[in-house]
Amino acid sequence: MLYVSTRNDNEKASPSQAILKGLAEDGGLFVPEQIPVLDIPVEKLAEMTYQETAYEVMKLFLTDFTEEELKTCIRNAYDEKFDTEEIAPLVKAQDVNYLELFHGATIAFKDMALSILPHLMITSARKNQVKNDIVILTATSGDTGKAALAGFADVEGTKIIVFYPKDGVSPVQQKQMVTQKGDNTLVVGINGNFDQAQTGVKQMFSDKELGKLMKESGYQFSSANSINIGRLVPQIVYYVYACARMIKSGEIKNGESMNVVVPTGNFGNILAAFYAKNMGIPVGKLICASNENKVLYDFFRTGTYDRNREFILTSSPSMDILISSNLERLIYRIAGNDAEKNSSLMKELQESGTYEITEEMKERLSVFYGNYASEPETAAVIREIYQETGYIIDTHTAVAAAVYQKYKSETGDDTKAVIASTASPYKFARSVMTAIDRKYENRPDFELIDELETISGVKVPQAIEDIRTAPVRHKTVCEVEEMQSVVKKFLNI
Ligand SMILES: *Cc1c(COP(=O)(O)O)cnc(C)c1O
């Protein structure tokens, strides 16, 4: 299996090369030439562990990894770092199944892929006789940064640099990042938003001059963002796993399908669900939930993508994004795998901030449903689910839950649904607790965390205990224009 760039059919890469590069040289994203079909019956999948499922799915995409290599990566990734053997448990509340993707080291769904990416990267480097040190350059809206840092800290032959919007992450997210240990790590706050961080990082990737300088000093860039197929592929696994569990528990019958609801920012998680559907997993609608930065909702409704609008800071900061990178992979596909067409749309996006797809392309989006939840709607659904069931969800998951309520009342479709639960409520304790009761408004962060434990009966996760007293190690803050010089300084080039 080969991967092609969404902007140039002639740029092809093996799976391991695509992982190493992160982004294609022309600025496009790597996509598999075809999406493979899962050739294993669901009854058999239903008996498999998470790790076994991961192998069955990933081997179809990472065809130049040996069985031994891939199984070793999987074993090292999905181990005791997760606080449950199931890795991604399904929890039912109010007739909906929440797929809890936050049981890894940094308590957000980014751990699902970022606990395996460093292993895939190192294996890929070995396969391709790479002698350079790999510099992971990452922009984060809050969760990718910490999950990538945790994965790459002190991994030999790598360095990792993370840029986050200084005023655009939750207090827990920030504390998690700036306390990161490891001599090969650098964490930098920027005076700007996530889109600016992401654009700055992408520019460095395609800066030929910088690339040359890096090479001379024995470095090469790669990415831990969801533009890397080494992140996308592991994310397909949990949709396959969830479906198998739904069948095993009798929630859905063999032959029935399930809807999937995903709180969306960069469009990576929901794209993985789309790939899972294309592999043959019985998924009905893909419900794309946005917060008040509802650029995707408008896109699904009108066929026009328009990022020219105010950037809103919400209580679901990991979805505060106006340029959803991974949407490019979907655009390429609905354009009929047409790199030229996609390329011209992406050029329009870069130049004017907007593009419009054709009627024909729009018709191919019918498996998607998009909607959004306002801040009051998000808070209300947290409170409602807690009051009715005692279950507490985080703000991102709440955006999905609120959108799912809208979907059901609009369409009357009562197909069983799985909501991707993307973060532990502990990570957003302040927003979650004040949604439940305004009386918590002026209490200190760690008091709220202890109170959350009391009212939820869910133990404070280790990731939170770890930052209670940890010293701040990263104090660098820079302007957007200074990102490149910060990188050069850290690498001494
Ligand atoms: C990253 C993130 C999202 C958005 O996922 P995308 O793949 O960027 O669409 C949603 N919720 C949480 C908690 C996240 O960390």
Side-chain angles (χ1 to χ4, degrees):
M1 151 109 59
L2 286 179
Y3 288 77
V4 288
S5 165
T6 50
R7 297 192 193 176
N8 176 358
D9 292 326
N10 296 321
E11 187 172 345
K12 295 193 183 185
S14 69
S16 62
Q17 285 164 347
I19 289 172
L20 281 171
K21 285 190 172 166
L23 200 64
E25 264 153 48
D26 51 43
L29 275 60
F30 284 114
V31 285
E33 279 190 313
Q34 313 92 28
I35 297 177
V37 172
L38 200 62
D39 52 2
I40 204 166
V42 250
E43 309 84 69
K44 221 167 153 197
L45 280 170
E47 299 308 319
M48 287 186 187
T49 63
Y50 191 87
Q51 293 82 348
E52 288 163 348
T53 313
Y55 177 70
E56 292 303 327
V57 172
M58 291 177 68
K59 74 171 188 197
L60 300 174
F61 285 92
L62 306 182
T63 46
D64 64 342
F65 283 61
T66 66
E67 176 171 352
E68 164 81 31
E69 283 169 342
L70 193 51
K71 285 190 169 164
T72 306
C73 290
I74 290 169
R75 191 168 354 97
N76 290 330
Y78 304 110
D79 59 6
E80 297 75 41
K81 290 191 286 298
F82 286 78
D83 66 10
T84 161
E85 262 180 39
E86 283 182 276
I87 306 294
L90 276 168
V91 175
K92 197 163 176 179
Q94 277 188 331
D95 237 27
V96 185
N97 292 277
Y98 289 85
L99 178 63
E100 292 190 347
L101 301 172
F102 54 77
H103 289 272
T106 75
I107 59 175
F109 97 93
K110 304 298 196 294
D111 289 322
M112 301 303 296
L114 282 163
S115 31
I116 194 163
L117 184 69
H119 301 288
L120 298 176
M121 190 87 72
I122 295 300
T123 311
S124 298
R126 206 182 312 122
K127 286 176 123 24
N128 290 278
Q129 284 94 39
V130 170
K131 300 283 184 299
N132 292 336
D133 273 11
I134 295 168
V135 179
I136 306 293
L137 199 56
T138 289
T140 183
S141 55
D143 290 327
T144 288
K146 181 62 186 185
L149 287 161
F152 282 99
D154 290 325
V155 171
E156 211 174 307
T158 72
K159 293 191 190 298
I160 172 160
I161 306 171
V162 169
F163 290 99
Y164 72 95
K166 190 173 71 66
D167 300 317
V169 300
S170 85
V172 171
Q173 286 178 314
Q174 179 163 21
K175 187 95 196 271
Q176 277 187 304
M177 287 190 280
V178 298
T179 55
Q180 179 64 45
K181 293 183 199 151
D183 290 338
N184 65 337
T185 65
L186 177 68
V187 179
V188 186
I190 66 160
N191 289 315
N193 62 38
F194 170 74
D195 286 329
Q196 291 170 304
Q198 179 165 252
T199 303
V201 162
K202 278 191 175 178
Q203 271 163 4
M204 281 188 259
F205 269 97
S206 42
D207 186 323
K208 298 268 182 315
E209 198 118 324
L210 180 62
K212 191 161 157 268
L213 202 59
M214 295 273 295
K215 212 165 159 194
E216 285 164 8
S217 315
Y219 292 123
Q220 69 188 63
F221 283 133
S222 189
S223 168
N225 281 108
S226 53
I227 51 176
N228 194 317
I229 60 114
R231 259 193 68 184
L232 201 54
V233 170
Q235 289 179 185
I236 301 168
V237 174
Y238 46 76
Y239 290 109
V240 175
Y241 182 70
C243 185
R245 296 286 128 157
M246 291 281 280
I247 287 170
K248 189 181 164 96
S249 69
E251 271 291 289
I252 56 173
K253 290 183 200 63
N254 216 338
E256 237 180 293
S257 57
M258 63 182 208
N259 290 336
V260 171
V261 194
V262 187
T264 297
N266 223 0
F267 210 75
N269 200 1
I270 194 163
L271 188 76
F274 177 70
Y275 279 14
K277 179 177 168 67
N278 283 280
M279 291 183 82
I281 291 300
V283 171
K285 280 281 179 197
L286 294 160
I287 299 167
C288 176
S290 302
N291 65 22
E292 289 181 0
N293 295 292
K294 58 183 183 53
V295 64
L296 287 166
Y297 164 63
D298 293 337
F299 170 70
F300 283 120
R301 205 165 38 98
T302 64
T304 297
Y305 194 92
D306 185 2
R307 62 143 226 215
N308 298 315
R309 60 181 77 205
E310 195 194 343
F311 186 100
I312 302 167
L313 292 176
T314 72
S315 60
S316 46
S318 304
M319 294 156 63
D320 289 345
I321 292 176
L322 294 179
I323 307 172
S324 301
S325 286
N326 273 292
L327 188 66
E328 179 169 345
R329 289 184 161 114
L330 184 65
I331 297 294
Y332 171 82
R333 189 180 166 93
I334 60 172
N337 296 341
D338 184 339
E340 210 170 312
K341 174 77 188 159
N342 173 64
S343 205
S344 77
L345 293 175
M346 292 307 129
K347 195 151 166 261
E348 278 179 52
L349 178 65
Q350 194 168 18
E351 282 164 7
S352 65
T354 174
Y355 63 82
E356 189 182 352
I357 60 171
T358 62
E359 262 323 298
E360 197 190 354
M361 288 168 75
K362 211 176 152 194
E363 275 161 27
R364 298 196 181 125
L365 289 177
S366 60
V367 297
F368 287 91
Y369 167 92
N371 213 326
Y372 77 103
S374 68
E375 288 290 277
E377 287 167 342
T378 305
V381 85
I382 294 175
R383 187 167 56 246
E384 176 201 305
I385 295 173
Y386 170 66
Q387 282 170 353
E388 273 184 32
T389 68
Y391 186 57
I392 299 184
I393 58 176
D394 99 289
T395 45
H396 303 73
T397 310
V399 167
V403 164
Y404 182 57
Q405 289 181 351
K406 290 185 185 182
Y407 171 78
K408 273 219 305 207
S409 66
E410 240 173 63
T411 63
D413 179 5
D414 60 1
T415 305
K416 290 280 165 49
V418 166
I419 294 184
S421 180
T422 50
S424 158
Y426 280 101
K427 209 159 184 175
F428 303 94
R430 172 161 304 280
S431 302
V432 168
M433 292 302 279
T434 46
I436 288 172
D437 196 328
R438 295 301 283 267
K439 76 179 181 198
Y440 295 118
E441 221 153 41
N442 295 315
R443 306 262 292 272
D445 287 320
F446 278 98
E447 237 179 85
L448 292 180
I449 281 166
D450 292 331
E451 188 70 18
L452 177 53
E453 179 171 50
T454 309
I455 68 166
S456 67
V458 175
K459 197 166 162 292
V460 178
Q462 190 55 40
I464 297 288
E465 295 300 352
D466 288 346
I467 58 166
R468 258 186 218 269
T469 54
V472 172
R473 298 187 68 251
H474 301 271
K475 293 183 183 144
T476 311
V477 174
C478 78
E479 302 303 320
V480 176
E481 303 74 44
E482 293 168 337
M483 288 170 64
Q484 190 170 131
S485 58
V486 168
V487 168
K488 285 182 175 166
K489 189 167 164 225
F490 180 62
L491 298 176
N492 238 324
I493 62 174

